[in-house]
Amino acid sequence: MVTEAQYEESSDLGNVLDADGAFTTSWLREKSVVPVPVGAQVDPALARRITAGTRAVGASHLLTTNLAETPRVTSRLPVDADWTGLRPPCLLRTPDAQGAVLFPENGYALIAGTAAFMSSAVGEGTDTARARFGRYAHNLQDRHPSLLSVAAAHPPGHKAWSCADEVDRASAAAQQLALLDAFTEENCGAPEFARGWWEARRASQANGERIQGALGDLFDEVFMILEDYSVDPGLAEPGDLDDAGLQTAVTAAWGTFRRREADRTGQ
C-alpha cells in the first residue's frame, strides 16, 4: 500500500467524529450517509468508491486515521493509492472534509459526504445502496446481527416504485411519466421531451428515487431510445432517430407499458 509520511492527528478529526466514534451532527449537515458491505479489510469495491468520490471533489489525496491507535496518527495517501488492505477501525476523509469513509468494524463501512462526493462514490444512488445493504444485513443476520441495526439506522428514503400508480406525485419520476404522456399525446415536441426527460432523470437519481419492475423496464427502454437521439440536429450521427422517429419509438414503449398496466389492474 502506498503511503506518505505520517503526522500527528490534525485537529479537524474532532469536527468529523464525536467522542463515540460516530460522525458529528454538525459535520453531517447537508450531507448523506450510506452503509456499504465490506469484510475484514478495504476491498477493491470499496477502494473504487473511495477513489471515485475523492476525484469527484478535486482532492489529490486523502487523510487516513487509524482509530485504534493512541495517540491517533493521520497519514496522507495520494488519490491513486492502493486502498485495499486497510483494516478497521479507521477513518478516511478528504482534506476539505467534503467526503469521508468510516470503517468501524468488520462487515460494513459508512460513506458520507456532499452531493458531489456521494454522486461518484455511490453512483447507484443513496436509496439503492441503502436498500441493497438492508438485504445484505438480513442475509447475514445470523453471523453479524449488528448489521441489522446499521441498516435500520439508514433506511431508504423512498420505496421502490414498480407501477405508475405507486409513484409519488411530487417526485421527479412523476415528472418523467407526465412527459411521456404529454409527448405521446403530441402536447410537447421531441427536443422539449428529451431535455425534460434527462433533467428529471438526473433529479430522480439525485433524490434517491428507486424504480423497478415494469416501470423500471419502461424507463430503461426510454433511456436507450434517447441515447439514439440528438436534440441538436447538427450533432446527430448516421442512424440516429429524428423527431418523428423518437416519437414513434417512445409511443410504442409507452403504449406497451399502458396496456400491461391495464391488464394488471383489470381496467
Side-chain angles (χ1 to χ4, degrees), residues 79-129:
V79 68
D80 58 354
D82 178 6
W83 308 105
T84 58
L86 289 175
R87 295 181 177 276
C90 66
L91 174 73
L92 302 91
R93 63 197 185 282
T94 61
D96 59 3
Q98 283 200 60
V101 177
L102 176 61
F103 187 9
E105 61 183 74
N106 294 354
Y108 77 99
L110 297 176
I111 301 177
T114 60
F117 183 87
M118 297 297 283
S119 64
S120 292
V122 189
E124 68 271 40
T126 297
D127 267 14
T128 297

Side-chain angles (χ1 to χ4, degrees), residues 207-219:
N207 293 340
E209 297 171 5
R210 293 185 295 132
I211 313 298
Q212 64 181 17
L215 186 60
D217 292 341
L218 169 67
F219 280 20

